[in-house]
């Protein structure tokens, strides 16, 4: 019913042309039909024409522009289930209506609940209908953001919305009768939260770091800063714009940089960036939404640190135009001069690091210039020794540059070149032998005193008048002498090529040449003497000993000739047997195999076993030839079927006859028999001594037998003895009052005698253990297990004994004691049993 608006096939409604709507409300009827089923559906859409000021004069992007924004008010009523009848009065099959989205502004202040739209079915005039909604925000979390009046179908929002939390909701509307039966199909409801400018732009970083080369042209890219706004980016609320607030320092201009307001790219806008003047800039950048409107938009700031990087726009320059140094001759790796330069570029960078080159004055390459990595100085160093006699001074021209090439448009400075004067000082140089090693050739055996050569040295110090003296430094065989003034070499002994000091026919000696400079210097030279061989060594035969069977044709002896000389004074050799004694050629024969080898064998059919000295004459091929008679000790022995000497045969060959061998064997058997008998006798004697060591001869001294007693107890009956008898009597009256006469040996002498310390009186009776401990404490030798105290000599064993003398035991008249049990104690108590167990007849 309107020519000003059109609708697309997908249901999008748009204005057909630019128009002005005079009224505040516009109602349109939209019709949809199906050509196949001839069904028709209609919906009424009511528009409220909104003021532009409500949206700050901006329309959302990404949607078709309408004359007014569609907002459902309380008076809006949607009939999504409206149906029509066809011309014949039959009700057509219903088709669902697509409901346009419902827009709700965020951060609304209410009051709540706030009605959004009313939904109703055209069947509500016929039956009672109950309405409900489902989906996120209704019966799914977040719960109860939206609700609906089940009777009237009015849908409400219950609280303020936040687009940044959730931008849209998808609900479904349901219509059922009072019994819960579905009356209409569910209808989709889309609710969009309208964005409000409630979020400031936020920079990703609070501090941004960038760099730009010094001398960059205007428009050079530096860095990019980025700020994000949580508001809708399709509206002005989320459209961020950038600007530079301040720049520090403001040199050489207060506007050295600019920023793209939309992308945040910072670029240079002015020339004059110089790292040597300003190394760093601090730029404050501001981001504002609402497309940069400072009156309505929200803002935030960040810091951009821009470092001006160095370029090689300053060539290195020498601090002075000339340098000088001094070096001794023949010295290397010596720093003779330090070259200082100045470079205003960044230290320790390729733009600052200096490289020095010698461009003239050193054609032989005696010097090089190395760079000190810390100070950047150039160190002129000698790498090839200089000679005062050749060059007394050097005039060098050096140039300095950087590791990195100079920037475009920068030229080298005339101060990048300097001159270096180096003076060479003369030092005393050692004499040297022009021919070193010197080789001469001569025959061995030259007599003593023969002049071999003159081995002279040269003193390189041409400007010094010095004398050179010669001496031997190494002469292993002490065969040579040298003249101290002219270096003439003579022989001190006969040179022998076959000596151990000769290596590959060469004898080597070292001589010393020293001058008389201050300080003196010396040099060495090596003389090599190649000795030509002469035939001065007769050949020798090997081996010196051999063995052969007593019968011929079983084996032979291979002999070899050896000569210390070399070709042609060696083989081929001539082997022959001497004619004297005649038995040699009678018993033996020699056959030559080749120039160095021959075979010796028996000529006769049998030769008695033994050792024979066989002389053989061997002659070399020298001029004149030399010969030698070598004696080979040949052992002739009986052999087995394999041609090997038997054991007996080998002994016989050693010079012993059969009788001697038998005698030796008999002696060995007798010796072994005697050793065996001696061992048996020792074993038997040891056994008898072990079994009879306790049997003592009655005639032996009683005291000796008692001393050999090694048991510490006499049996169970020994426990009833009165040990108090061993204690020292408390008084000595019974001894002092005794009449003079013969004294018992166990009594203490009354006269003068050695004084012993009197032991303290023990108040309580002790035992023999106390006495033993006291004796042990008096010895200086520590006890060793098993405990055997050292032998101590006592001539006083107490002041008397109440038990009387032991000597009275034999004269005791008491017959009450029975000593017959001593016979049962074994052989160790046999002496006591004989003394006290004999009865009255004893």
């Amino acid at each position: 019913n309107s020519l000003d608006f059109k609708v697309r096939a997908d249901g999008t409604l748009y204005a057909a042309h630019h128009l002005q709507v005079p009224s505040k409300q516009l109602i349109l009827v939209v019709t949809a039909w199906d050509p196949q089923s001839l069904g028709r559906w209609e919906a009424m859409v009511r528009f409220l024409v909104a003021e532009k000021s409500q949206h700050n004069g901006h329309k959302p992007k990404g949607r078709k522009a309408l004359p007014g924004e569609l907002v459902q008010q309380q008076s809006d009523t949607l009939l999504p289930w409206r149906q029509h009848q066809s011309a014949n009065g039959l009700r057509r099959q219903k088709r669902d209506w697509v409901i346009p989205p419902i827009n709700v502004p965020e951060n609304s202040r209410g009051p709540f609940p706030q009605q959004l739209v009313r939904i109703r079915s055209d069947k509500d005039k016929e039956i009672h209908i109950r309405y409900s909604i489902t989906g996120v925000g209704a019966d799914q979390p977040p719960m109860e953001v939206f609700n609906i009046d089940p009777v009237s179908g009015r849908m409400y929002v219950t609280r303020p919305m936040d687009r940044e939390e959730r931008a849209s909701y998808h609900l479904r509307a349901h219509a059922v009768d009072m019994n819960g039966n579905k009356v209409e199909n569910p209808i989709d409801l889309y609710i969009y939260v309208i964005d409000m400018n409630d979020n400031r732009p936020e920079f990703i970083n609070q501090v941004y770091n960038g760099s730009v080369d010094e001398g960059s042209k205007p428009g050079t890219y530096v860095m990019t800063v980025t700020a994000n706004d949580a508001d809708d980016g399709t509206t002005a609320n989320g459209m961020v714009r950038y600007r530079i607030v301040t720049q520090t320092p403001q040199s050489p201009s207060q506007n050295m940089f600019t920023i793209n307001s939309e992308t945040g790219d910072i670029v240079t806008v002015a020339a004059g960036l110089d790292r040597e003047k300003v190394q760093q800039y601090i730029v404050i950048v501001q981001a504002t939404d609402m497309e940069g409107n400072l009156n309505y938009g929200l803002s935030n700031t960040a810091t951009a640190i821009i470092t001006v990087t160095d370029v090689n726009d300053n060539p290195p320059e020498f601090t002075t135009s000339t340098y000088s140094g001094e070096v001794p001759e023949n010295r290397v790796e010596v720093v003779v001069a330090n070259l200082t330069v100045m470079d205003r570029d960044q230290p320790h960078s390729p733009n600052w690091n200096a490289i020095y080159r010698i461009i003239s004055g050193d054609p032989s390459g005696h010097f090089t210039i190395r760079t000190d990595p810390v100070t950047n100085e150039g160190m002129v160093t000698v790498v090839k020794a200089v000679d005062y006699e050749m060059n007394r001074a050097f005039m060098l021209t050096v140039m300095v540059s950087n590791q990195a090439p100079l920037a475009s448009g920068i030229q080298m400075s005339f101060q990048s070149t300097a001159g270096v004067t180096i003076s060479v000082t003369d030092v005393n140089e050692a004499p040297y032998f022009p021919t070193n090693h010197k080789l001469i050739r001569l025959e061995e055996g030259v007599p003593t005193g023969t002049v071999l050569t003159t081995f002279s040295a040269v003193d390189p110090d041409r400007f010094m008048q010095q004398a050179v003296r010669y001496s031997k430094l190494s002469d292993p065989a002490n065969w040579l002498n040298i003249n101290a003034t002219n270096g003439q070499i003579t022989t001190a002994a006969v040179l022998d090529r076959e000596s151990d000091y000769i290596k590959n026919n060469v004898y080597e000696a070292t001589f010393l040449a020293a001058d008389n400079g201050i300080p003196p210097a010396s040099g060495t030279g090596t003389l090599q003497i190649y000795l030509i061989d002469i035939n001065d060594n007769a050949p020798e035969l090997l081996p010196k000993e051999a063995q052969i069977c007593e019968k011929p044709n079983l084996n032979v002896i291979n002999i070899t000739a050896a000569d210390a000389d070399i070709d042609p004074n060696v083989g081929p050799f001539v082997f022959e047997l001497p004619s004297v004694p005649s038995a040699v050629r009678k018993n033996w024969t020699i056959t030559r195999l080749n120039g160095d080898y021959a075979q010796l064998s028996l000529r006769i059919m049998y030769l008695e076993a033994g050792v024979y000295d066989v002389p053989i004459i061997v002659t070399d091929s020298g001029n004149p030839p030399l010969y030698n008679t070598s004696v080979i000790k040949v052992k002739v022995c009986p052999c087995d079927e394999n041609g090997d000497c038997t054991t007996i045969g080998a002994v016989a060959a050693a010079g012993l006859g059969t009788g001697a061998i038998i005698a030796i064997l008999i002696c060995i058997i007798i010796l072994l028999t005697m050793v065996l008998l001696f061992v048996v006798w020792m074993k038997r004697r040891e056994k008898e001594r072990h079994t009879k060591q306790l049997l003592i001869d009655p005639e032996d001294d009683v005291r000796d037998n008692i001393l050999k007693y090694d048991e510490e107890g006499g049996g169970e009956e020994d426990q009833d003895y009165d040990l108090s008898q061993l204690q020292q009597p408390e008084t000595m009256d019974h001894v002092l009052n005794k009449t003079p006469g013969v004294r018992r040996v166990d009594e203490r002498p009354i006269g003068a005698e050695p004084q012993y310390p009197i032991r303290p009186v023990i108040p309580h009776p002790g035992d023999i253990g106390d006495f033993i401990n006291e004796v042990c404490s008096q010895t200086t030798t520590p006890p060793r297990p098993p405990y055997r105290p050292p032998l101590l000599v006592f001539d006083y064993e107490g002041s008397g004994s109440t038990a009387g003398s032991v000597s009275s035991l034999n004269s005791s008249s008491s017959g009450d004691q029975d000593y017959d049990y001593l016979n049962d104690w074994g052989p160790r108590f046999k002496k006591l049993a004989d003394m006290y167990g004999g009865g009255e007849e004893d």
Side-chain angles (χ1 to χ4, degrees), residues 120-153:
R120 58 177 296 271
S121 172
D122 55 359
K123 293 182 180 181
D124 59 354
K125 297 179 180 179
E126 302 174 1
I127 59 176
H128 293 286
I129 296 178
R130 293 293 183 265
Y131 302 96
S132 63
I133 56 176
T134 59
V136 176
D139 60 345
Q140 298 178 19
M143 307 285 287
E144 298 181 354
V145 177
F146 305 96
N147 59 25
I148 190 171
D149 189 326
V151 177
S152 65

Side-chain angles (χ1 to χ4, degrees), residues 625-698:
L626 295 181
Y627 69 92
N628 182 33
T629 302
S630 297
V631 178
I632 299 178
K633 288 185 175 295
V634 180
K635 295 180 181 179
V636 180
C637 58
C639 296
D640 53 18
E641 63 276 3
N642 296 325
D644 298 328
C645 284
T646 60
T647 304
I648 298 177
V651 176
L656 297 177
T658 304
I661 295 174
I662 294 175
I664 292 174
L665 293 177
I666 292 175
C667 292
I668 292 174
I669 293 174
I670 293 174
L671 181 60
L672 292 177
T673 304
M674 293 178 62
V675 172
L676 181 61
L677 292 176
F678 178 76
V679 172
V680 172
W681 179 75
M682 290 297 294
K683 291 289 185 181
R684 181 182 182 88
R685 186 172 181 275
E686 182 69 21
K687 183 176 180 180
E688 291 177 355
R689 186 173 62 177
H690 179 71
T691 55
K692 294 183 179 182
Q693 62 181 354
L694 298 178
L695 298 178
I696 304 173
D697 189 357

Side-chain angles (χ1 to χ4, degrees), residues 88-229:
N88 57 8
L90 297 177
R91 186 177 298 275
R92 301 294 183 184
Q93 179 67 31
K94 64 183 178 179
R95 176 168 290 188
D96 296 342
W97 187 255
V98 178
I99 303 300
I102 303 172
N103 296 324
V104 180
E106 66 172 334
N107 303 326
S108 175
R109 296 185 179 181
F112 295 102
Q114 181 179 0
Q115 181 178 335
L116 298 179
V117 69
R118 180 183 178 188
I119 302 174
R120 58 177 296 271
S121 172
D122 55 359
K123 293 182 180 181
D124 59 354
K125 297 179 180 179
E126 302 174 1
I127 59 176
H128 293 286
I129 296 178
R130 293 293 183 265
Y131 302 96
S132 63
I133 56 176
T134 59
V136 176
D139 60 345
Q140 298 178 19
M143 307 285 287
E144 298 181 354
V145 177
F146 305 96
N147 59 25
I148 190 171
D149 189 326
V151 177
S152 65
R154 291 183 174 86
M155 190 172 71
Y156 302 91
V157 59
T158 62
R159 61 190 184 207
M161 309 296 290
D162 186 358
R163 192 200 68 85
E164 288 72 40
E165 180 180 345
R166 191 177 185 88
S168 64
Y169 296 86
H170 178 203
L171 303 178
R172 305 200 77 185
H174 305 270
V176 298
D177 58 13
M178 300 302 293
N179 296 325
N181 297 322
K182 181 175 68 173
V183 177
E184 302 285 359
N185 290 331
I187 295 299
D188 292 325
L189 298 177
Y190 293 94
I191 301 173
Y192 292 104
V193 182
I194 300 175
D195 182 49
M196 305 295 288
N197 190 20
D198 57 346
N199 292 279
R200 292 179 179 275
E202 295 291 340
F203 283 94
I204 296 178
N205 301 309
Q206 282 301 312
V207 178
Y208 291 84
N209 291 283
S211 61
V212 61
D213 291 339
E214 63 175 331
S216 297
K217 297 179 180 180
T220 302
Y221 171 80
V222 179
M223 61 193 304
T224 298
V225 296
T226 303
N228 296 324
D229 197 316

Side-chain angles (χ1 to χ4, degrees), residues 177 325 359 386 439 476 483 527 617 632 639 664 672 717 802 834:
D177 58 13
I359 59 178
V386 295
L439 177 65
N483 189 292
L527 177 64
I617 301 174
I632 299 178
C639 296
I664 292 174
L672 292 177
E717 296 180 12
T802 57
D834 294 341

Side-chain angles (χ1 to χ4, degrees), residues 380-402:
V380 182
T381 307
V382 182
V383 294
K384 182 179 179 181
V386 295
D387 189 355
Y388 176 83
E389 287 71 27
M390 299 295 295
N391 297 96
R392 299 187 182 185
F394 291 86
M395 299 295 296
L396 308 180
T397 301
V398 299
M399 186 176 67
V400 62
S401 60
N402 293 125

